[in-house]
Amino acid sequence: QGGGALSGKRALVTAGPTHEPMDPVRYIANRSSGQQGYAIANALADLGAEVTLISGPTTLRKPAGVAVQDCETALEMQALVAAMPVQDVAVCTAAVADWRPAQIVGQKIKKQSRDDVPAPLELVPNPDILADISAPSPSRPQLVIGFAAETENVEAHARAKRLRKGCDWIVANDVGENSDVMGGRENQITLITEQASEQWPRLDKNDVAQRLAALISERLSGKIDL
Ligand code: C5P
């Protein structure tokens, strides 16, 4: 244990996509590389926090000094989150699939002939992990941060999302056409809190993570009232 600004603090980060299987070989998923979440887990650990990273499927190297718990589906991610001890801060960067196939077929769904018409795919809603973590309870983290990937009206949608989810901060980013944010190295975010909205310059995802970790630390220690 070093003397970092976040030493003694527990941080939970969700990252990556979730994969929602239809049969043994097919799934639906969101586009997410996991980079921003992994960078945040790293940055929090660098400040001395005890970090758990709950990760959907990604190809990224596991960050050193972080406890990584892997999962595939939203239901698995929810179960891992529910099993965690009380956290000081939760950062939900994961691109959780909003819906999953109602049934997982045990055998590969076969296409019999060229003009075979597929059966309709029935979907059911997944749990909203961020909303669950944000709900008032004695074990709610002091600070809960959600992400909002929007393609238009970024700030208005993100403000509405902050209220709907019940989280404290929303990190909004524009993933619209030509943004190159999805899978890219850089990110341009707007941080939305109850009182404030600040637009950050376009930065390397590692720099976004470091700035965010520094703000988290100031907020947990009461130095800022964002
Ligand atoms: O509603 P939307 O998916 O746009 O919200 C994004 C935020 O909510 C992200 O922080 C994401 O990690 C979180 N989320 C979640 N569980 C879901 C859907 C989204 O935790 N089922």
Side-chain angles (χ1 to χ4, degrees), residues 14 92-98 126-131 145-148 161 164-165:
T14 71
C92 293
T93 71
V96 181
D98 288 313
N126 265 330
D128 191 315
I129 295 167
L130 172 61
I145 305 173
F147 271 63
K161 188 164 292 180
R164 203 165 60 239
K165 303 269 186 173

Side-chain angles (χ1 to χ4, degrees), residues 16-62:
T18 64
H19 286 181
E20 309 294 338
M22 317 174 24
D23 72 14
V25 299
R26 302 186 181 94
Y27 59 80
I28 58 174
N30 281 342
R31 271 189 215 288
S32 167
S33 66
Q35 284 180 78
Q36 187 62 81
Y38 275 54
I40 290 168
N42 248 321
L44 292 168
D46 283 345
L47 294 183
E50 191 185 311
V51 182
T52 305
L53 172 62
I54 299 184
S55 176
T58 76
T59 57
L60 301 173
R61 202 159 7 99
K62 306 290 175 216

Side-chain angles (χ1 to χ4, degrees), residues 33 35 173-176 178-188 202 205:
S33 66
Q35 284 180 78
N173 50 13
D174 188 343
V175 296
N178 308 322
S179 72
D180 277 339
V181 163
M182 291 265 183
R185 296 188 54 84
E186 294 184 343
N187 205 353
Q188 195 277 305
R202 194 177 173 92
K205 286 180 179 175

